[in-house]
Amino acid sequence: MLQVLALTIFLGMTVSSPVLRAQDPNAAGAATSSANPVVEKDLEVALGIANIEKVDFDYNTKISIANEQLLKLKLYPQKRELEFNGLKPGKTTVIIRDNVGDVRLRYTVLVTATGKSNEVSELRELIGDVEGLEIGIKGGKVFVGGEIVVPEDIGRVSKVLASYPGVLTLIELSPQTQRVIARKMSEELAKNNLKDVTVRVVNKTYWLEGVVSNEEKKKLALIIAKAYLPPKILSIATGDSRFATPEQSDIIDFIAVNEKKEPQPAPKMVKITSQFVELTKEYGKVFAFKWAPLMGADESRISFGQTPQGNVTSTSSGTLSATITNLFPKLNAAKSAGYARVIQSGMVIVRDQQKANIKKNTQIPFALGSGDFTKATSASVGITMDVQPRILEQEKVELPISIEVSLGDGSTPPRTTQNSINTNLVIKSKESAAIGGIVQNQSSTNYDNNNDDPAPFTVAPGSGAGSAGSPLFRLFRSKNYRTSKSQYVMFVTPEIIESATAGTEEIRRKFRRRE
């Protein structure tokens, strides 16, 4: 029994000896005395082929790779598995520790390149960035599989795989991508006035459904849909037959033809907005200097004479007195400025090549004459616009237009100013143009004009200056400067609209009220 037991122990050590390698002469003794010896393994990994290794302990996910450019690891701690994927040919080591931190495994990995692994490496470099693709080796064959998401990538993949006829193709078009293609088909059909035709994807085919008015439109819908078909991908195929040109069978036609005379499209409408802007500025400055002092005398007097005897005599009555009025000079200095801005706006909607007129008038009553000859009359102010638009190509509008604007100044009787423009021009839809205007400047300067003094000198009653009083001297200087500027300009904006309701949104917004 002892010999059998010794033989069993000897055989067990013989079997495990290739797994445990001694690094130095004392390593064997250390291995037998340690509870968790370091296990060294040699592993060969081919490019493009993943190797899965199982371990019998819970390992630490922080694994050391001597050269990370040669090897890539995928960890599955719960299953105690390691997946080795070669990146480049070469040799490197991998050290694996347990959760305590002790080294338990040391792999010496040799990454080799075979003919198939070289193909995998080249394909990954050429089309590895295409979204949805997977490249590898299965069943001893290089394959490219997955779902292409971006339709434009199909052409690139087909050109690359044409140089690799032995590669197995397992590519399909993503269902999401097919829905994107169907949406693009529908958008293009709508642009070509086929709004009643829709496209949907059923079992990897495109169904065209809807109603058209004639066979020509049905053919046009099929041509448009076929133009958006990507190259057809054949699953599980090799060689040049992996990608085929799209066929008519990829589109199923359910379009019904309803032969009837199409109604004439409704004539388009034109919304015309005109704006009249007037700006008036006035400025006046006056300076006057007047000095005219007066001497006034009362009944007091002094007289000299000769008596009948020849003697000189003098008499006096009262006292000698005199009054000087307006002793100080009068000054008059004033400035005045005014600014006014008037805006008149009119808007009208009319059919193409039809006349339109919009008018707004206000009557200002006033009396003319005096006494028995007084009569009532009125002045009219407002805006009038006449227009007959014609729609041209490239959304341009020919606009023969006449605009008249009359304004009052607020005086009594009122004074009105007439402004009018009559022209014919071409303006692009939704663009504004200044169609005309006038600028008027006036300036005047008066010197030594007595009218510049609003309070000319007069002799006040009871001031002591009698009717015989006269100014001792007169001094008058004045300067009156006045300038005025008036300008007006008219703007017009045409806009092509489909219906009259589209042109009244802004008006409704302005007159919106709370209930």
Side-chain angles (χ1 to χ4, degrees), residues 455-474:
F457 171 73
T458 56
V459 178
S463 63
S467 60
S470 61
L472 296 179
F473 57 85
R474 295 177 185 273

Side-chain angles (χ1 to χ4, degrees), residues 271-470:
K271 182 178 73 171
I272 301 152
T273 305
S274 65
Q275 291 182 329
F276 169 85
V277 182
E278 184 182 47
L279 180 65
T280 304
K281 294 182 180 180
E282 292 186 356
Y283 176 76
K285 180 179 180 181
V286 60
F287 176 80
F289 177 92
K290 178 180 285 190
W291 194 11
L294 299 179
M295 175 71 76
D298 57 8
E299 297 302 325
S300 299
R301 63 187 179 276
I302 299 176
S303 63
F304 295 90
Q306 187 176 7
T307 63
Q309 293 79 17
N311 298 324
V312 177
T313 180
S314 64
T315 62
S316 65
S317 174
T319 60
L320 178 66
S321 65
T323 302
I324 299 177
T325 61
N326 292 340
L327 180 61
F328 297 100
K330 288 185 176 181
L331 300 178
N332 181 22
K335 293 181 180 180
S336 63
Y339 171 85
R341 185 179 184 186
V342 179
I343 297 179
Q344 293 274 5
S345 179
M347 190 273 287
V348 65
I349 298 176
V350 63
R351 287 173 54 184
D352 182 25
Q353 302 186 27
Q354 299 294 319
K355 291 184 179 180
N357 173 272
I358 185 170
K359 185 176 183 180
K360 174 186 175 295
N361 279 339
T362 302
Q363 300 295 328
I364 303 176
F366 64 94
L368 185 63
S370 60
D372 296 337
F373 301 98
T374 303
K375 66 175 182 178
T377 184
S378 63
S380 178
V381 297
I383 180 172
T384 303
M385 180 176 66
D386 296 305
V387 65
Q388 186 176 358
R390 185 166 70 94
I391 299 176
L392 305 177
E393 296 179 353
Q394 299 178 353
E395 294 190 348
K396 293 183 180 179
V397 181
E398 182 182 0
L399 212 62
I401 189 170
S402 174
I403 302 176
E404 295 184 1
V405 180
S406 59
L407 302 173
D409 62 351
S411 61
T412 304
R415 292 180 299 177
T416 60
T417 302
Q418 300 289 333
N419 306 277
S420 64
I421 286 182
N422 189 352
T423 183
N424 191 343
L425 65 162
V426 176
I427 307 175
K428 192 172 183 180
S429 176
K430 296 184 180 181
E431 291 187 356
S432 300
I435 62 174
I438 294 177
V439 178
Q440 182 178 358
N441 293 327
Q442 289 182 339
S443 61
S444 63
T445 305
N446 296 326
Y447 296 94
D448 299 335
N449 188 347
N450 195 31
N451 294 331
D452 296 335
D453 188 355
F457 171 73
T458 56
V459 178
S463 63
S467 60
S470 61

